[in-house]
Amino acid sequence: MASFRYALRDTFRLIFRHWGLSILTLITAVALFFLLGSSGLFSLNLKSLVADVEDDLVINVFMKAGEDASSLVEAMQDVGFITDLKVISPEKGLELLRAKLGNQAKAVTLLGENPLPWNVQIQVMKADFVTPLVRDLMSFPSVEEVVYAGQLAEKLAQASLVMNRVSIAVLILAITITALVLYNTVKIAIYSKRGEIEVMLLVGATNTSIALPFVLQGMLLSTFGALISVILLAGAYQYVSVMLETTLSFLILIADRLLLMRFYLILIGTGMTLGWLCSWFAVHRYIAEASCPE
Amino acid sequence: MDIRMAGVTKIFEPDIVALEDIYLNLDRGEFVYLVGATGSGKTTLLRIITREVIPSRGQIVVARRNLRSLRASQLPYYRRELGVVFQDYKLLPHLSVLENVAFVLETIGAPSRVVKDRASTVIDQVGLWRLRDHYPQQLSGGEQQRVAIARAMVNSPSIFLADEPTGNLDLHTSEEIMQLLLSINAAGTTVIVATHDQYLVDAYRQRVVELHQGRIKRDEERGRYFVDGEL
Ligand SMILES: Nc1ncnc2c1ncn2[C@@H]1O[C@H](COP(=O)(O)OP(=O)(O)O)[C@@H](O)[C@H]1O
Ligand SMILES: [Mg+2]
């Protein structure tokens, strides 16, 4: 245990001896983990949005101007998988719109006449029924337009796919840069201590005890960087959530605390692992070379 | 037998023959001078014992360990049985005398109380107690040499190697250093001192092994070397 205490002491000496470098490494790690985290959160939210939309089993049918919904409702009467069917008259629609928009609703009636068509909202049992039903509805002569979540879901899914690729690119980039910076920092620390390392090897220090302070140094910087970035990220996420809620009320970010917590923990774990790998790699490469007999 | 070399040859890349066909046996507790001109292979022979250098040919067994087949994981534990005074001291400039010595014990994981006690004892033994908080560059050559010796002694080695420990020192200081090495030997430690200091070899009649261009030119017991010496 004495060894570990010495190693820990030496780790802090290393970090403070090269404090400028340590701060620079820390800032880099924070920035890159923040980037990594935000792209991950964005992906996660997009995916959850796609899932939400896909789960939306309501089909909105808008009738042509001047046509009412009675014939459609009649035709839908004996379709088994429809669980709910709501007819919204133009007057009712206007009422709902007013309630939703408040004062801004005046603009809608500025034209004088009620511009809204008849609207039928059909809910089906399962997402599988949506597409065939939509095809049927489209063939109705009195139907102007069918709006259903599937369209949106497809578009969102495409966006999500693109975003996933971007996320992966960000992941690779951020990890590579962080790894290089960490590797370099640890290497500089190693070189500043090569006299010690030489003597340590000659007086019988084990490779592990020589490596430990450097490995801890890399791990500490990286983990701390990830930790700070998570704190910043959580704050920013909270801020954006509240902002979206007040301005774009339909866009609700994931608020699942457990999921977010897990995401942040993974980020910190990534920081820890990355720090460990980079410094371990740097120091073992050096020791292997330095301890190789002639 | 503490050290046993049989047919040890070292050829450095591309074709520098540093040692050739060395047969050398040392008993536990022996004191041996390793003499020879610069470039004769003294340092290489010591570095073969510390296993910084692996022989190109031949066998070497030290403290019952075959150094050719010693596993890398065992090397640190083997080195803890050695005390080495390097030709260039290898003191750490930013550590004080006490820290330089304590460093060795910390490095092998000794508890901090032991580290402090033992390092203090050894520093006192080499007569540097009042300089314990000084840094190497504040010390004279002889004092630095003592620090190096204290550091080599601190983990109570069974084999003590000193490479030109009196290299740049005046006569008086050299004698003091030699007394120190003899006292280490008197405690039962095997000691090998590489030197080209003729005076010391003559003054302290011990076993002398002379190297010449990488070969053992003579290996003689106490005093006889003095008679037909021709260094
Ligand atoms: N690492 C090395 N690489 C190449 N040649 C070396 C190396 N070490 C020593 N030599 C050569 O081996 C010979 C013996 O050197 P050394 O053992 O240092 O002699 P000494 O210590 O007696 O002066 C010299 O010719 C020297 O140049
Ligand atoms: Mg030499």
Side-chain angles (χ1 to χ4, degrees):
Chain A
M1 263 306 83
S3 303
F4 191 75
R5 256 204 336 275
Y6 300 138
L8 211 57
R9 176 198 66 193
D10 289 344
T11 302
F12 282 103
R13 281 190 188 158
L14 279 178
I15 289 176
F16 289 110
R17 177 158 160 204
H18 305 279
W19 61 271
L21 192 65
S22 300
I23 289 175
L24 225 60
T25 309
L26 204 61
I27 291 174
T28 313
V30 170
L32 289 165
F33 280 119
F34 189 83
L35 187 68
L36 189 64
S38 19
S39 97
L41 280 177
F42 195 88
S43 278
L44 223 55
N45 272 290
L46 206 53
K47 220 159 127 188
S48 114
L49 191 62
V50 172
D52 275 357
V53 170
E54 272 170 348
D55 274 354
D56 190 354
L57 300 176
V58 175
I59 301 167
N60 253 300
V61 187
F62 294 100
M63 312 308 289
K64 282 186 176 141
E67 301 269 2
D68 71 10
S70 51
S71 58
L72 181 71
V73 173
E74 212 168 291
M76 292 296 116
Q77 214 77 69
D78 11 284
V79 182
F81 54 76
I82 291 179
T83 52
D84 190 29
L85 190 145
K86 240 186 270 170
V87 180
I88 298 166
S89 66
E91 294 75 34
K92 185 80 188 299
L94 195 60
E95 225 171 87
L96 290 172
L97 200 61
R98 279 213 181 102
K100 199 169 179 181
L101 296 181
N103 283 338
Q104 293 159 321
K106 284 204 182 90
V108 182
T109 43
L110 256 164
L111 302 166
E113 223 171 293
N114 182 348
L116 298 177
W118 280 79
N119 169 217
V120 183
Q121 291 181 350
I122 304 169
Q123 188 172 356
V124 294
M125 258 156 53
K126 266 170 52 187
D128 296 347
F129 297 128
V130 172
T131 319
L133 182 61
V134 164
R135 215 178 303 125
D136 277 1
L137 290 168
M138 297 281 249
S139 63
F140 252 77
S142 56
V143 168
E144 171 77 32
E145 203 181 355
V146 181
V147 176
Y148 60 107
Q151 286 171 318
L152 188 60
E154 259 165 48
K155 287 207 179 97
L156 279 175
Q158 265 167 17
S160 177
L161 211 67
V162 173
M163 191 52 215
N164 273 347
R165 287 205 189 122
V166 172
S167 283
I168 288 172
V170 169
L171 181 89
I172 293 170
L173 204 73
I175 288 203
T176 311
I177 297 174
T178 313
L180 285 177
V181 169
L182 281 169
Y183 180 82
N184 207 43
T185 300
V186 173
K187 206 155 174 182
I188 288 172
I190 292 170
Y191 273 88
S192 78
K193 289 271 207 174
R194 48 186 196 283
E196 269 97 328
I197 294 177
E198 185 193 359
V199 175
M200 284 173 100
L201 283 168
L202 287 170
V203 301
T206 56
N207 290 2
T208 314
S209 73
I210 298 174
L212 199 56
F214 301 104
V215 172
L216 286 177
Q217 177 205 21
M219 266 178 91
L220 219 64
L221 287 176
S222 173
T223 308
F224 215 59
L227 194 71
I228 295 175
S229 85
V230 160
I231 292 170
L232 294 177
L233 207 58
Y237 190 77
Q238 184 64 28
Y239 177 78
V240 171
S241 287
V242 170
M243 204 178 71
L244 284 181
E245 216 167 287
T246 51
T247 53
L248 301 166
S249 53
F250 60 91
L251 250 183
I252 295 170
L253 294 188
I254 298 172
D256 182 347
R257 280 186 180 281
L258 208 69
L259 180 73
L260 289 175
M261 193 63 87
R262 209 157 9 140
F263 179 79
Y264 293 143
L265 282 180
I266 288 175
L267 208 59
I268 295 172
T270 307
M272 223 176 210
T273 316
L274 197 65
W276 176 66
L277 278 178
C278 291
S279 42
W280 187 87
F281 193 64
V283 75
H284 273 262
R285 255 180 73 165
Y286 182 85
I287 292 179
E289 216 166 281
S291 65
C292 184
E294 282 177 64
Chain B
M1 209 73 80
D2 223 9
I3 298 176
R4 181 192 295 246
M5 293 188 184
V8 167
T9 297
K10 180 62 193 181
I11 302 166
F12 286 110
E13 292 298 323
D15 57 357
I16 301 161
V17 182
L19 288 175
E20 197 171 356
D21 211 24
I22 301 290
Y23 286 83
L24 184 65
N25 291 329
L26 262 79
D27 284 328
R28 177 167 293 259
E30 239 186 306
F31 189 111
V32 175
Y33 280 117
L34 194 59
V35 300
T38 302
S40 59
K42 303 183 295 294
T43 299
T44 303
L45 194 138
L46 295 182
R47 292 179 77 217
I48 282 179
I49 298 173
T50 61
R51 208 178 182 265
E52 291 165 82
V53 172
I54 292 185
S56 314
R57 282 196 299 276
Q59 293 299 318
I60 170 162
V61 177
V62 183
R64 293 182 305 282
R65 286 180 170 88
N66 185 336
L67 295 195
R68 297 211 61 160
S69 58
L70 190 71
R71 273 185 290 131
S73 62
Q74 284 304 307
L75 183 58
Y77 304 99
Y78 165 64
R79 284 192 176 154
R80 289 175 197 185
E81 294 189 30
L82 308 179
V84 186
V85 180
F86 302 99
Q87 196 164 359
D88 56 353
Y89 308 160
K90 294 195 202 298
L91 298 178
L92 299 172
H94 60 277
L95 297 184
S96 69
V97 168
L98 188 64
E99 288 166 340
N100 259 290
V101 176
F103 175 78
V104 174
L105 294 171
E106 285 188 358
T107 268
I108 60 180
S112 50
R113 167 111 53 73
V114 175
V115 171
K116 205 158 183 301
D117 285 356
R118 177 71 189 145
S120 304
T121 307
V122 176
I123 286 170
D124 195 33
Q125 270 175 35
V126 299
L128 286 181
W129 183 244
R130 76 199 155 80
L131 296 176
R132 64 189 177 282
D133 292 324
H134 284 55
Y135 288 85
Q137 67 271 22
Q138 301 172 305
L139 305 178
S140 70
E143 288 160 349
Q144 289 187 25
Q145 187 63 267
R146 283 162 189 272
V147 180
I149 291 172
R151 188 181 64 186
M153 286 165 67
V154 77
N155 57 353
S156 314
S158 63
I159 297 171
F160 195 96
L161 310 174
D163 198 352
E164 315 238 5
T166 59
N168 308 307
L169 307 179
D170 59 70
L171 204 59
H172 178 66
T173 316
S174 295
E175 281 190 325
E176 285 178 354
I177 296 290
M178 278 313 302
Q179 289 302 335
L180 207 50
L181 295 176
L182 286 169
S183 74
I184 292 168
N185 176 242
T189 305
T190 310
V191 176
I192 304 180
V193 180
T195 184
H196 57 239
D197 203 333
Q198 179 65 51
Y199 168 79
L200 292 176
V201 178
D202 295 348
Y204 301 91
R205 300 186 173 182
Q206 304 281 354
R207 178 175 168 190
V208 177
V209 173
E210 184 186 353
L211 288 173
H212 180 71
Q213 294 182 355
R215 290 176 158 275
I216 290 185
K217 190 174 168 193
R218 50 183 96 182
D219 179 358
E220 296 177 10
E221 296 295 330
R222 308 172 177 270
R224 282 182 52 210
Y225 178 81
F226 177 52
V227 177
D228 46 26
E230 50 169 72
L231 258 176

